[in-house]
Amino acid sequence: MSPTTQLNFAIIGCGGITLQNHLPGLAICPDVKVVALCDANAATLEHARQQTGVTVTSTNYADIVKRDDVHAVIIATPNSFHMPIALAAIARGKHVMCEKPLAMNHPDAKAMADAADRAGVRHMTAFTYRFVPAMRYLAHLMRRGDIGVPYHYRSCRLQDWGTRDLGWRQVKKLAGTGEIGDMLSHRIDFANMLVGPMKRLVANLKQWHPTRGGQHNDLDDWAAIIAEFASGATGVLESSKLASGRNESWRSLDYVELNGSERSFVFITGEWNKLQTGKFGGPGMETIEIPREFWKIPGSPRDVNQGDPLVTFRYDQAWEFVDAIRNKRQCSPSFHDGAQALAVIDAAVKSAETRQWVDL
Ligand SMILES: NC(=O)c1ccc[n+]([C@@H]2O[C@H](COP(=O)([O-])OP(=O)(O)OC[C@H]3O[C@@H](n4cnc5c(N)ncnc54)[C@H](O)[C@@H]3O)[C@@H](O)[C@H]2O)c1
């Protein structure tokens, strides 16, 4: 495919995240067209058809992935459908971006990554928060070694979802896990990206509400992990849907702190263009601005002066996928990153069940 050829996309799953992220992200990419839509729910599909004007629609993903005019597929269904849809799309030679958590468990996610590699297609896991400008700059500073020897990784995700109905997110056979896969998966990915792989962990999961919105809840409302990384650094990760007063959206807390021999860094998603940092032996933490070249990923067609930056950083995810397809390079984050996060999730679930440390 030459760099100027139009790329045709199909979207499978036309619910919340497709409308919020995937469609607006693709809409600003030049020579990219959404040509087919799929949703198992006919009313949701019809709503998406009306919103986009895309006329090729189906409630069955098999009809969509076999189409010759589709080059790439975005999967944004409940988690249990990610693997079968991805494998069907890969078998038809399509490039695939899939939502997180990539699969229901690590072996399934690894099988997806291996199948995509074998087929030679691009594969991407939608770890959207990697695209926050402050996180991109933090990753750069970590790669540069500014922290010295990394001692501690700490993350805290606190939201106020109360006891409301979470739909498929509270059904184990559709979601796999609760808070740990839904919210902590992004922060596990931060840890893997910033500090490297974990060596062992101990974890706990807690369900406070056996019903939500009057429906049975199978899954955890809170999750926490204490980890040791292969490098020897320690990790403490906590995530809750029950932090009253913290709000639900991006106004809620998404905090990462790193401490090393040379300095510390603090990242907060709500402060997309700032980091806090402090030097060993220094007077305390100071706030630094994110250099403008980190406000979007290289080549992104996004105008950084347009829209709410806490929304629009997400559109760089679509550009990463498009650019990787055009330039025949690996996506970052790939299915392998999605699988690595699931190895941690599987270990955390096992640790919580057995009340033991688990080696990865
Ligand atoms: N990256 C992020 O920041 C982020 C944010 C929210 C959600 N997500 C992930 O995106 C995925 C979807 O979440 P959502 O909030 O959009 O959920 P949603 O319920 O709003 O939408 C999911 C859609 O998939 C459809 N669907 C169900 N089974 C299907 C099938 N077999 N084939 C086709 N369509 C099917 C449903 O009818 C629904 O319209 C989940 O994996 C979730 O974890 C990621």
Side-chain angles (χ1 to χ4, degrees), residues 265-281:
F265 293 109
V266 170
F267 160 88
I268 297 171
T269 289
E271 296 176 10
W272 63 273
N273 60 350
K274 295 186 180 80
L275 284 176
Q276 293 167 42
T277 188
K279 224 170 99 139
F280 169 72

Side-chain angles (χ1 to χ4, degrees), residues 15-17 39-40 44 76-79 81-82 99-100 126 128 168-169:
I17 202 62
D39 198 286
T44 305
T77 61
N79 310 336
F81 303 110
H82 292 176
E99 273 298 348
K100 46 50 63 179
T128 313
W168 62 264
R169 282 179 169 77

Side-chain angles (χ1 to χ4, degrees), residues 12-18 21 38-41 44 59 61 76-79 81-82 85 99-101 126-129 168-169 182 186 314 317:
I12 301 181
C14 299
I17 202 62
T18 285
N21 284 12
C38 170
D39 198 286
N41 181 306
T44 305
T59 53
Y61 68 82
T77 61
N79 310 336
F81 303 110
H82 292 176
I85 298 172
E99 273 298 348
K100 46 50 63 179
F127 282 131
T128 313
Y129 295 89
W168 62 264
R169 282 179 169 77
D182 192 24
H186 290 285
R314 295 154 210 266
Q317 181 175 264

Side-chain angles (χ1 to χ4, degrees), residues 156-231:
C156 200
R157 180 68 171 133
L158 299 182
Q159 292 184 296
D160 178 6
W161 292 41
T163 57
R164 75 168 170 81
D165 187 352
L166 304 181
W168 62 264
R169 282 179 169 77
Q170 68 192 56
V171 180
K172 186 171 183 179
K173 72 175 195 303
L174 296 174
T177 57
E179 181 67 0
I180 193 168
D182 192 24
M183 291 294 155
L184 200 60
S185 56
H186 290 285
R187 286 82 218 174
I188 292 168
D189 177 61
F190 287 163
N192 287 333
M193 174 179 69
L194 295 169
V195 188
M198 292 178 189
K199 189 168 75 180
R200 62 184 193 127
L201 61 77
V202 63
N204 201 11
L205 307 175
K206 168 93 180 173
Q207 185 199 71
W208 272 95
H209 298 301
T211 60
R212 286 182 157 277
Q215 304 296 316
H216 180 70
N217 175 24
D218 296 333
L219 294 167
D220 48 294
D221 302 314
W222 171 91
I225 297 173
I226 296 177
E228 191 179 329
F229 291 83
S231 68

Side-chain angles (χ1 to χ4, degrees), residues 1-260:
M1 191 173 301
S2 85
T4 51
T5 310
Q6 177 174 292
L7 268 179
N8 290 342
F9 276 73
I11 310 261
I12 301 181
C14 299
I17 202 62
T18 285
L19 302 183
Q20 285 159 30
N21 284 12
H22 297 305
L23 286 172
L26 291 175
I28 61 169
C29 296
D31 298 318
V32 164
K33 194 171 174 196
V34 178
V35 296
L37 299 173
C38 170
D39 198 286
N41 181 306
T44 305
L45 186 61
E46 176 56 16
H47 177 70
R49 188 189 68 77
Q50 285 178 15
Q51 185 166 329
T52 58
V54 174
T55 52
V56 175
T57 62
S58 175
T59 53
N60 182 352
Y61 68 82
D63 295 339
I64 299 294
V65 298
K66 71 180 183 201
R67 293 182 65 89
D68 290 338
D69 62 346
V70 169
H71 305 127
V73 169
I74 295 183
I75 302 169
T77 61
N79 310 336
S80 60
F81 303 110
H82 292 176
M83 180 166 82
I85 298 172
L87 292 180
I90 291 164
R92 294 282 179 165
K94 313 302 180 193
H95 308 291
V96 182
M97 167 152 54
C98 183
E99 273 298 348
K100 46 50 63 179
L102 185 58
M104 297 291 270
N105 53 53
H106 175 255
D108 286 1
K110 175 87 170 55
M112 290 164 69
D114 291 345
D117 279 345
R118 274 196 307 275
V121 298
R122 303 298 127 210
H123 49 86
M124 179 160 173
T125 305
F127 282 131
T128 313
Y129 295 89
R130 279 199 186 198
F131 296 91
V132 179
M135 179 50 68
R136 294 192 53 250
Y137 189 52
L138 176 56
H140 162 77
L141 297 177
M142 289 297 290
R143 277 193 302 272
R144 206 168 72 177
D146 285 25
I147 198 163
V149 178
Y151 292 150
H152 308 308
Y153 171 88
R154 194 171 300 113
S155 73
C156 200
R157 180 68 171 133
L158 299 182
Q159 292 184 296
D160 178 6
W161 292 41
T163 57
R164 75 168 170 81
D165 187 352
L166 304 181
W168 62 264
R169 282 179 169 77
Q170 68 192 56
V171 180
K172 186 171 183 179
K173 72 175 195 303
L174 296 174
T177 57
E179 181 67 0
I180 193 168
D182 192 24
M183 291 294 155
L184 200 60
S185 56
H186 290 285
R187 286 82 218 174
I188 292 168
D189 177 61
F190 287 163
N192 287 333
M193 174 179 69
L194 295 169
V195 188
M198 292 178 189
K199 189 168 75 180
R200 62 184 193 127
L201 61 77
V202 63
N204 201 11
L205 307 175
K206 168 93 180 173
Q207 185 199 71
W208 272 95
H209 298 301
T211 60
R212 286 182 157 277
Q215 304 296 316
H216 180 70
N217 175 24
D218 296 333
L219 294 167
D220 48 294
D221 302 314
W222 171 91
I225 297 173
I226 296 177
E228 191 179 329
F229 291 83
S231 68
T234 63
V236 178
L237 301 83
E238 184 191 14
S239 196
S240 179
K241 284 191 160 45
L242 299 175
S244 300
R246 282 283 186 184
N247 196 280
E248 272 197 21
S249 68
W250 46 86
R251 282 184 288 277
S252 56
L253 184 68
D254 185 14
Y255 173 94
V256 173
E257 177 159 347
L258 288 149
N259 312 116

